[in-house]
Amino acid sequence: VLNVNPQEYRTSLRSHRAAVAAAAVHSARGVIATAGADATIRVWDAASGAQQYEFTCHEDAPVSLAFMPAAAAWHAHELVLACGFDSGSIRAFDVPSTQMLLDANPIEALADGGGGAPAMATAVVALRFTPRDYGAYALYAAFRDGAVAVFLATEAGDGAGVTPAEERWSF
């Protein structure tokens, strides 16, 4: 962290063993997530800099992150983190329980369904949660090749779920 006025530098959040590819902040929960080229996703307490959680992804490199905004009262999962990977996969987790809410590769699904997307996987370059009707959220995923996929984060049975929406595009 660089404090501009006194020009002091302080190292914080040091634990990745390789470059950090992405970061996301959840200001309401006071946490920061980082995705590293060391195939880890780490969640940190923003105030203290202490690492709270670590997810390891041996088979793929995490390259993009997004937190779901503070959810409605019905929402069973209080801290949802979505991660995009170099292979085109997207995973969403309930961080405290480490429960996986989504494990999908929409590029493969588009190719299989004839949606015009290439059959070859392409990296997820950006993720963004946006509000929808009645407390639901949409998770938009942008891919290196120009494709966009949408997932709905809604109440599902005994809690919340993240499911593919019918909205998919390729540019």
Side-chain angles (χ1 to χ4, degrees), residues 87-104:
S87 68
S89 292
I90 299 169
R91 294 186 184 118
F93 301 94
D94 173 58
V95 174
S97 71
T98 68
Q99 177 186 359
M100 192 177 314
L101 305 174
L102 173 71
D103 187 4

Side-chain angles (χ1 to χ4, degrees), residues 49-92:
Q51 182 177 312
Q52 295 179 329
Y53 302 95
E54 179 178 337
F55 299 89
T56 303
C57 320
H58 297 291
E59 73 284 355
D60 208 350
V63 294
S64 56
L65 295 169
F67 278 112
M68 188 165 79
W74 56 260
H75 204 286
H77 304 287
E78 294 184 14
L79 187 59
V80 175
L81 176 64
C83 184
F85 292 86
D86 198 44
S87 68
S89 292
I90 299 169
R91 294 186 184 118

Side-chain angles (χ1 to χ4, degrees), residues 6 9 14 26 30 32 37 49 87 98 103 106-107 119 134 141 147 168:
Y9 177 78
R14 175 173 252 160
H26 196 305
I32 300 168
S87 68
T98 68
D103 187 4
I107 294 298
Y134 308 108
R168 297 181 184 132

Side-chain angles (χ1 to χ4, degrees), residues 100-141:
M100 192 177 314
L101 305 174
L102 173 71
D103 187 4
N105 192 319
I107 294 298
E108 289 176 2
L110 282 171
D112 293 343
M120 191 168 73
T122 180
V124 181
V125 295
L127 292 168
R128 174 75 178 195
F129 280 99
T130 60
R132 303 269 299 211
D133 294 334
Y134 308 108
Y137 289 90
L139 171 61
Y140 290 85

